Amino acid sequence: RFRVRWAADFVTTAGARVLSLDHDARGLAAIGDRDPVVAGLLAASPGFRPVCFPSPYEAAVWGVLAQRVAMPVAASIKQRLAVATETVAEGFGRSFHPAPAPARLLSVERFPGLTEEKIARLHAVARAALDGRLDASTLTAMPREQAIERLRAIRGVGPWTAEHILLRGCGVVDAMPTAEERVLRGIAEAYGLPETPTPQQALSLAERWRPFRMWIAVRLVMHLGASGRWSRGPAQRTAAVSRLGKTGLLTAKA
């Protein structure tokens, strides 16, 4: 009976975190009252709450798969990996392709589309999960920089991936992502800025979004995508990498 109750509590807590239902959202309207741009974002997606990754581990696997490749390619590899490891889940008339459980992922020694280095990084993520280093409640209880440092100790986890795991895998609500180019570009697009802001400029501007900085950042990315002005051809990617490199945020996209 205790185990059943514990499992029910875990599912309830995790489900609320994944669906961003663990926070009272009524304060968003007040931010919109202070910031016309935010008011427009809220009006474009009324009632929207960001859906997070099921766990930091799932976010970490995706973060490694998405390094240096297009998202559709990463999604295809993840789907094939789920099929190959018999991880496919069926429900609601659909097939879902979650990341293989850590122990099962460690059994994958080679896989089409994955380099030896990426497999080594995935194994490092799996071991970190088994060691308890990817627990959502533990990570969110830490100061942000300490959590980022803890995540970056995992092989292959650099600034972008660490921030992705913490913010999107743990369901953090009030934090400003600065290693994600789409957020920075989304700010420029929504606020009509002539240039993409630096991470420090973005942090300063986002002070007015407290305590929902992450939720508004997600809306900015949605707005950027809807505008049709986000495309990363070779020239744009080179410029983005150069810009992030100058800020000290990027030595390698990891």
Side-chain angles (χ1 to χ4, degrees):
R1 183 176 301 174
F2 172 78
R3 289 182 179 178
V4 171
R5 185 180 304 158
W6 178 88
D9 290 344
F10 175 80
V11 170
T12 300
T13 302
R17 174 179 55 78
V18 170
L19 299 176
S20 294
L21 295 174
D22 52 348
H23 286 77
D24 188 333
R26 284 175 290 187
L28 275 170
I31 299 174
D33 291 340
R34 300 192 301 266
D35 188 325
V37 170
V38 172
L41 295 173
L42 297 177
S45 55
F48 170 81
R49 291 174 182 241
V51 176
C52 304
F53 280 79
S55 67
Y57 168 69
E58 187 84 22
V61 170
W62 171 256
V64 170
L65 291 176
Q67 291 170 1
R68 299 290 187 180
V69 300
M71 287 189 179
V73 175
S76 175
I77 294 173
K78 186 170 182 285
Q79 179 174 330
R80 291 188 287 107
L81 189 60
V83 172
T85 56
E86 299 182 342
T87 310
V88 179
E90 305 290 342
F92 307 99
R94 296 180 54 190
S95 296
F96 299 90
H97 302 88
R104 189 166 295 186
L105 185 56
L106 285 171
S107 70
V108 177
E109 297 182 355
R110 58 180 61 86
F111 195 80
L114 293 178
T115 63
E116 289 185 10
E117 175 57 26
K118 274 207 173 181
I119 289 177
R121 293 181 179 191
L122 289 171
H123 284 179
V125 165
R127 285 190 290 269
L130 292 172
D131 291 343
R133 288 180 283 154
L134 291 176
D135 178 70
S137 59
T138 301
L139 289 169
T140 53
M142 296 178 176
R144 173 171 170 163
E145 292 307 315
Q146 183 180 345
I148 291 292
E149 183 179 356
R150 178 188 179 101
L151 292 169
R152 289 200 61 186
I154 302 170
R155 177 173 179 170
V157 174
W160 180 87
T161 307
E163 194 173 78
H164 164 78
I165 296 168
L166 180 64
L167 303 186
R168 303 297 290 133
C170 296
V172 175
V173 175
D174 188 37
M176 181 59 191
T178 56
E180 173 54 71
E181 176 73 5
R182 290 175 299 171
V183 173
L184 302 180
R185 186 60 210 153
I187 291 174
E189 173 65 25
Y191 284 88
L193 304 180
E195 296 182 352
T196 300
T198 65
Q200 191 56 48
Q201 289 169 335
L203 283 169
S204 178
L205 185 150
E207 281 298 308
R208 68 185 74 173
W209 305 340
R210 288 181 180 271
F212 293 100
R213 288 177 294 171
M214 187 62 202
W215 284 16
I216 293 171
V218 171
R219 279 180 163 87
L220 285 166
V221 173
M222 292 168 58
H223 173 76
L224 180 63
S227 74
R229 297 180 185 178
W230 173 256
S231 175
R232 259 194 172 168
Q236 284 178 299
R237 179 167 177 79
T238 298
V241 170
S242 174
R243 181 161 54 252
L244 285 173
K246 290 176 182 177
T247 68
L249 281 172
L250 185 65
T251 53
K253 178 63 179 294

